[in-house]
Short mmCIF file of all heavy atoms in Angstrom, two decimals:
data_model
loop_
_atom_site.label_atom_id
_atom_site.label_comp_id
_atom_site.label_asym_id
_atom_site.label_seq_id
_atom_site.Cartn_x
_atom_site.Cartn_y
_atom_site.Cartn_z
N ALA B 307 45.04 -16.59 -53.67
CA ALA B 307 45.43 -17.72 -52.80
C ALA B 307 46.61 -17.35 -51.92
O ALA B 307 46.76 -17.87 -50.82
CB ALA B 307 45.76 -18.93 -53.65
N GLY B 308 47.46 -16.44 -52.40
CA GLY B 308 48.66 -16.08 -51.65
C GLY B 308 48.47 -14.96 -50.65
O GLY B 308 49.42 -14.55 -49.98
N LEU B 309 47.27 -14.45 -50.48
CA LEU B 309 47.06 -13.33 -49.55
C LEU B 309 47.16 -13.80 -48.10
O LEU B 309 46.59 -14.82 -47.74
CB LEU B 309 45.67 -12.71 -49.77
CG LEU B 309 45.44 -12.07 -51.14
CD1 LEU B 309 43.98 -11.67 -51.28
CD2 LEU B 309 46.34 -10.85 -51.33
N ARG B 310 47.88 -13.02 -47.30
CA ARG B 310 48.03 -13.38 -45.90
C ARG B 310 46.85 -12.82 -45.11
O ARG B 310 46.60 -11.60 -45.12
CB ARG B 310 49.34 -12.86 -45.33
CG ARG B 310 49.56 -13.42 -43.92
CD ARG B 310 50.87 -13.02 -43.26
NE ARG B 310 51.54 -11.90 -43.83
CZ ARG B 310 52.77 -11.93 -44.34
NH1 ARG B 310 53.44 -13.06 -44.32
NH2 ARG B 310 53.32 -10.86 -44.84
N ILE B 311 46.14 -13.71 -44.42
CA ILE B 311 44.97 -13.31 -43.64
C ILE B 311 45.20 -13.66 -42.18
O ILE B 311 45.44 -14.80 -41.85
CB ILE B 311 43.70 -14.05 -44.14
CG1 ILE B 311 43.48 -13.76 -45.62
CG2 ILE B 311 42.48 -13.62 -43.33
CD1 ILE B 311 42.40 -14.57 -46.25
N SER B 312 45.18 -12.67 -41.33
CA SER B 312 45.28 -12.95 -39.89
C SER B 312 44.76 -11.75 -39.12
O SER B 312 44.30 -10.78 -39.72
CB SER B 312 46.71 -13.29 -39.49
OG SER B 312 47.53 -12.17 -39.63
N SER B 313 44.84 -11.81 -37.81
CA SER B 313 44.23 -10.75 -37.00
C SER B 313 45.10 -9.51 -37.02
O SER B 313 46.28 -9.55 -37.35
CB SER B 313 44.00 -11.23 -35.57
OG SER B 313 45.22 -11.31 -34.90
N ALA B 314 44.50 -8.40 -36.62
CA ALA B 314 45.11 -7.07 -36.79
C ALA B 314 46.50 -6.92 -36.19
O ALA B 314 47.34 -6.23 -36.74
CB ALA B 314 44.19 -6.01 -36.22
N LEU B 315 46.73 -7.55 -35.03
CA LEU B 315 47.98 -7.22 -34.33
C LEU B 315 49.08 -8.25 -34.55
O LEU B 315 50.04 -8.28 -33.82
CB LEU B 315 47.68 -7.06 -32.84
CG LEU B 315 46.70 -5.92 -32.55
CD1 LEU B 315 46.27 -5.94 -31.09
CD2 LEU B 315 47.32 -4.57 -32.89
N THR B 316 48.93 -9.10 -35.58
CA THR B 316 49.98 -10.09 -35.78
C THR B 316 51.12 -9.51 -36.62
O THR B 316 50.95 -8.54 -37.35
CB THR B 316 49.44 -11.35 -36.50
OG1 THR B 316 48.64 -10.94 -37.60
CG2 THR B 316 48.63 -12.20 -35.57
N GLU B 317 52.27 -10.13 -36.47
CA GLU B 317 53.43 -9.77 -37.28
C GLU B 317 53.86 -11.02 -38.02
O GLU B 317 53.90 -12.09 -37.42
CB GLU B 317 54.58 -9.32 -36.38
CG GLU B 317 54.25 -8.13 -35.54
CD GLU B 317 55.04 -6.90 -35.95
OE1 GLU B 317 56.00 -7.06 -36.71
OE2 GLU B 317 54.67 -5.81 -35.52
N PRO B 318 54.30 -11.00 -39.28
CA PRO B 318 54.28 -9.82 -40.15
C PRO B 318 52.84 -9.42 -40.49
O PRO B 318 51.91 -10.21 -40.33
CB PRO B 318 55.01 -10.31 -41.41
CG PRO B 318 54.89 -11.78 -41.40
CD PRO B 318 54.76 -12.20 -39.98
N GLU B 319 52.67 -8.17 -40.92
CA GLU B 319 51.32 -7.65 -41.11
C GLU B 319 50.56 -8.42 -42.20
O GLU B 319 51.11 -8.74 -43.25
CB GLU B 319 51.39 -6.18 -41.50
CG GLU B 319 51.89 -5.31 -40.36
CD GLU B 319 51.88 -3.84 -40.74
OE1 GLU B 319 52.77 -3.43 -41.50
OE2 GLU B 319 50.97 -3.13 -40.30
N PRO B 320 49.28 -8.69 -41.96
CA PRO B 320 48.50 -9.40 -42.97
C PRO B 320 47.97 -8.44 -44.03
O PRO B 320 48.02 -7.23 -43.87
CB PRO B 320 47.32 -9.96 -42.16
CG PRO B 320 47.13 -8.96 -41.06
CD PRO B 320 48.49 -8.40 -40.75
N PHE B 321 47.43 -9.02 -45.12
CA PHE B 321 46.77 -8.22 -46.16
C PHE B 321 45.39 -7.79 -45.67
O PHE B 321 44.96 -6.66 -45.87
CB PHE B 321 46.65 -9.05 -47.44
CG PHE B 321 45.79 -8.42 -48.50
CD1 PHE B 321 46.30 -7.40 -49.29
CD2 PHE B 321 44.48 -8.83 -48.69
CE1 PHE B 321 45.51 -6.79 -50.26
CE2 PHE B 321 43.68 -8.22 -49.67
CZ PHE B 321 44.20 -7.20 -50.45
N CYS B 322 44.71 -8.76 -45.06
CA CYS B 322 43.40 -8.43 -44.51
C CYS B 322 43.12 -9.33 -43.33
O CYS B 322 43.86 -10.28 -43.07
CB CYS B 322 42.29 -8.54 -45.56
SG CYS B 322 41.92 -10.23 -46.06
N GLY B 323 42.07 -9.01 -42.63
CA GLY B 323 41.73 -9.78 -41.44
C GLY B 323 40.44 -10.54 -41.64
O GLY B 323 40.00 -10.75 -42.79
N PRO B 324 39.80 -10.93 -40.55
CA PRO B 324 38.48 -11.54 -40.67
C PRO B 324 37.45 -10.48 -41.07
O PRO B 324 37.77 -9.30 -41.12
CB PRO B 324 38.20 -12.05 -39.25
CG PRO B 324 39.24 -11.48 -38.37
CD PRO B 324 40.25 -10.77 -39.18
N LEU B 325 36.22 -10.93 -41.30
CA LEU B 325 35.14 -9.98 -41.54
C LEU B 325 34.75 -9.36 -40.19
O LEU B 325 35.24 -9.77 -39.14
CB LEU B 325 33.96 -10.69 -42.21
CG LEU B 325 34.04 -10.81 -43.73
CD1 LEU B 325 35.16 -11.73 -44.16
CD2 LEU B 325 32.72 -11.28 -44.32
N VAL B 326 33.87 -8.40 -40.22
CA VAL B 326 33.58 -7.63 -39.01
C VAL B 326 32.94 -8.46 -37.90
O VAL B 326 33.08 -8.14 -36.73
CB VAL B 326 32.69 -6.41 -39.37
CG1 VAL B 326 31.27 -6.87 -39.70
CG2 VAL B 326 32.67 -5.39 -38.26
N ALA B 327 32.22 -9.53 -38.28
CA ALA B 327 31.54 -10.34 -37.27
C ALA B 327 31.20 -11.71 -37.84
O ALA B 327 31.12 -11.86 -39.07
CB ALA B 327 30.24 -9.65 -36.85
N PRO B 328 31.02 -12.71 -36.98
CA PRO B 328 30.69 -14.05 -37.49
C PRO B 328 29.45 -14.08 -38.38
O PRO B 328 29.43 -14.79 -39.38
CB PRO B 328 30.47 -14.87 -36.21
CG PRO B 328 31.29 -14.17 -35.18
CD PRO B 328 31.23 -12.72 -35.53
N GLU B 329 28.43 -13.28 -38.06
CA GLU B 329 27.23 -13.36 -38.90
C GLU B 329 27.47 -12.80 -40.31
O GLU B 329 26.83 -13.24 -41.27
CB GLU B 329 26.00 -12.68 -38.26
CG GLU B 329 26.07 -11.20 -38.11
CD GLU B 329 26.33 -10.79 -36.67
OE1 GLU B 329 26.98 -11.56 -35.95
OE2 GLU B 329 25.87 -9.69 -36.30
N ALA B 330 28.41 -11.87 -40.44
CA ALA B 330 28.75 -11.37 -41.77
C ALA B 330 29.41 -12.49 -42.57
O ALA B 330 29.11 -12.69 -43.75
CB ALA B 330 29.68 -10.16 -41.66
N ALA B 331 30.32 -13.22 -41.92
CA ALA B 331 31.00 -14.32 -42.60
C ALA B 331 30.00 -15.43 -42.94
O ALA B 331 30.09 -16.05 -44.00
CB ALA B 331 32.11 -14.87 -41.72
N ASP B 332 29.06 -15.67 -42.03
CA ASP B 332 28.04 -16.70 -42.30
C ASP B 332 27.28 -16.37 -43.58
O ASP B 332 27.04 -17.24 -44.41
CB ASP B 332 27.02 -16.77 -41.14
CG ASP B 332 27.62 -17.33 -39.86
OD1 ASP B 332 28.72 -17.92 -39.93
OD2 ASP B 332 27.00 -17.15 -38.79
N ALA B 333 26.90 -15.11 -43.72
CA ALA B 333 26.11 -14.70 -44.89
C ALA B 333 26.92 -14.84 -46.17
O ALA B 333 26.41 -15.33 -47.19
CB ALA B 333 25.64 -13.25 -44.73
#
Side-chain angles (χ1 to χ4, degrees):
Chain B
L309 296 172
R310 188 178 18 239
I311 302 172
S312 67
S313 73
L315 299 171
T316 46
E317 300 248 346
E319 292 183 285
F321 171 79
C322 71
L325 275 67
V326 72
E329 67 255 30
D332 291 345

